Amino acid sequence: MSTTRPKFKNPRAKHDFKGRTVSITGVGAYVPAKAMTNFELEKIVDTTDEWITSRTGIKERRIAAKDEFTSDMAARAAQRAMKAAGVTADQVDLIIVATITPDMVFPSTACLVQQKIGANRAAAFDLEAACSGFIYGLEIAQQFIMSRTYDTVIVIGAEKLSSVVDWTDRNTCVLFGDGAGCAVLQSRSNSHGLLTAVMGADGSKAELLHMPGGGSRCPATTQSVNARLHFLRMEGKETFKHAVQAMVSAATEALRRCDLKVSDMKCIIPHQANRRIIDAVGDRLNARPDQLFINLDRYGNTSAASVAIALDEAVSSGRIHRGDLVLLVVFGAGLTWGAAVIEW
Ligand code: ACO
């Protein structure tokens, strides 16, 4: 627990003008049962456990079953978060699913989740901000709640990246995994809450991390499939550089808005893409190593699900308790980035 209660100078932070707080009342996560180790990958592409571990920190990742889709994982995570929050399906006003691997181009995965969890009253839409999607979702949910449009919003980050990874490309296939995480956001009077969320984007660097095929620019044809255009592509080194810069500046801006310091944070949960990125961000923010939450060794990069799964694990493992200050910071394709400060 934080001993001294910080003052929040920014009027957007902490409470809206009528003393309302946007609170995360429950979190939940789901990862598929199948864990694929680096040693299994050694049999698929020209790589080694030593290379993957030393360059990324990843030891294994979860891989969804053939008949297990993004909406299935999202629904499981949502049900767990709703149980933790004590929220029933008929109380949900809005479902936001952040994903780059929807079950299909349309309808939205959020609509499929609505049906799976029985939240028949809820509006539902997908949000596409790659690995930054969960923070974008938190900010959007906060706006809907503060404007009094909705009271209960569930934000889900869910991915089946194994379905868009090129399993012949050692540069990318070792990095990604599948899973889902969810947060329930509700209005609460003068209690703990989401203090601020920052979002950013730079479309001029879209080529650094993209999937060329499958959209209106390059619909599926025999040629596009043969040219492997329906798989994720990434320029790793360049992406790495931008990730560190963007995450540091998003985190700094989020803290500035709340008039808080890195040292006030009980826990920092960065996007789980690469251990070296996390360490570089931690160094530049002058964070203590014990402030950083890391689980990418077990899950790899799960894109929009990454910080959502990590937040759930940080709560369930007792790393954070009610009243603790938590910083989430993310980066992804787009390019996109974001950060959020939560008084848990
Ligand atoms: N096994 C063995 N060798 C490999 C592998 C592998 N799995 N992958 C690449 N290599 C080789 C390369 O071919 C290259 O060999 P060469 O020098 O003979 O050409 C060598 O290793 C070095 O490659 P680099 O790209 O320089 O390796 P780097 O140290 O940059 O690490 C990595 C690569 C892990 C991809 C890193 O750049 C990275 O993490 N980038 C950022 C990823 C990220 O943050 N993504 C964020 C968002 S993801 C989203 O939005 C969905």
Side-chain angles (χ1 to χ4, degrees), residues 30 105 170-171 301 320:
Y30 171 82
V105 174
R170 70 176 184 174
N171 291 290
N301 181 351
I320 53 180

Side-chain angles (χ1 to χ4, degrees), residues 31-37 40 60-65 68 178:
V31 290
K34 159 89 186 131
M36 180 188 271
T37 65
E40 287 173 77
E60 60 182 44
R61 68 288 295 142
R62 297 301 178 99
I63 303 295
E68 184 173 43
D178 302 334

Side-chain angles (χ1 to χ4, degrees), residues 275-286:
R275 177 69 202 241
R276 290 184 295 140
I277 293 177
I278 294 174
D279 289 342
V281 170
D283 278 354
R284 291 197 196 181
L285 290 174
N286 284 323

Side-chain angles (χ1 to χ4, degrees), residues 45-48 51-52 55-56 100 130-132 161 170-172 174-176 209 232 234-240 243 271 273-274 276-277 301 303 331-333:
V45 286
D46 180 15
T47 192
T48 59
W51 192 97
I52 302 169
R55 296 296 179 108
T56 71
I100 52 170
C131 303
S132 308
L161 289 163
R170 70 176 184 174
N171 291 290
T172 52
V174 303
L175 303 173
F176 298 100
L209 184 47
L232 170 161
M234 179 169 76
E235 289 180 38
K237 254 196 195 339
E238 205 48 27
T239 307
F240 191 116
H271 174 46
N274 185 316
R276 290 184 295 140
I277 293 177
N301 181 351
S303 191
F331 174 83

Side-chain angles (χ1 to χ4, degrees), residues 29-257:
Y30 171 82
V31 290
K34 159 89 186 131
M36 180 188 271
T37 65
N38 292 347
F39 297 106
E40 287 173 77
L41 277 165
E42 287 180 356
K43 296 177 195 144
I44 300 173
V45 286
D46 180 15
T47 192
T48 59
D49 170 59
E50 195 284 325
W51 192 97
I52 302 169
T53 305
S54 62
R55 296 296 179 108
T56 71
I58 300 165
K59 297 296 284 181
E60 60 182 44
R61 68 288 295 142
R62 297 301 178 99
I63 303 295
K66 275 205 166 61
D67 60 352
E68 184 173 43
F69 310 115
T70 298
S71 65
D72 299 316
M73 295 185 279
R76 297 285 286 272
Q79 280 160 336
R80 289 174 183 178
M82 287 158 59
K83 190 170 177 208
V87 161
T88 54
D90 60 326
Q91 282 177 269
V92 178
D93 296 309
L94 174 65
I95 300 166
I96 303 174
V97 175
T99 187
I100 52 170
T101 49
D103 285 23
M104 15 183 174
V105 174
F106 68 89
S108 71
T109 297
C111 283
L112 306 177
V113 171
Q114 185 229 37
Q115 185 268 323
K116 283 180 180 165
I117 65 174
N120 304 328
R121 279 185 52 246
F125 65 85
D126 284 4
L127 184 169
E128 212 274 55
C131 303
S132 308
F134 186 69
I135 301 278
Y136 270 59
L138 293 182
E139 167 72 349
I140 294 165
Q142 183 183 45
Q143 296 302 322
F144 273 119
I145 294 170
M146 285 179 66
S147 68
R148 293 171 187 259
T149 309
Y150 296 125
D151 275 324
T152 301
V153 181
I154 63 173
V155 179
I156 306 167
E159 303 285 8
K160 186 174 178 177
L161 289 163
S162 59
S163 67
V164 296
V165 154
D166 184 345
W167 290 102
T168 67
D169 176 16
R170 70 176 184 174
N171 291 290
T172 52
C173 76
V174 303
L175 303 173
F176 298 100
D178 302 334
C182 176
V184 178
L185 284 85
Q186 296 183 286
S187 60
R188 288 284 180 271
S189 293
N190 300 317
S191 70
H192 46 84
L194 174 61
L195 306 186
T196 198
V198 170
M199 306 187 289
D202 179 3
S204 72
K205 311 239 169 16
E207 301 292 316
L208 288 184
L209 184 47
H210 70 298
M211 192 170 92
S216 58
R217 180 158 147 188
C218 178
T221 60
T222 308
Q223 290 83 350
S224 75
V225 171
N226 289 341
R228 311 188 79 73
L229 299 183
H230 301 271
F231 293 122
L232 170 161
R233 294 179 175 189
M234 179 169 76
E235 289 180 38
K237 254 196 195 339
E238 205 48 27
T239 307
F240 191 116
K241 220 166 56 194
H242 290 291
V244 175
Q245 284 162 0
M247 288 168 79
V248 169
S249 69
T252 306
E253 172 59 13
L255 292 169
R256 189 196 64 74
R257 285 189 190 181

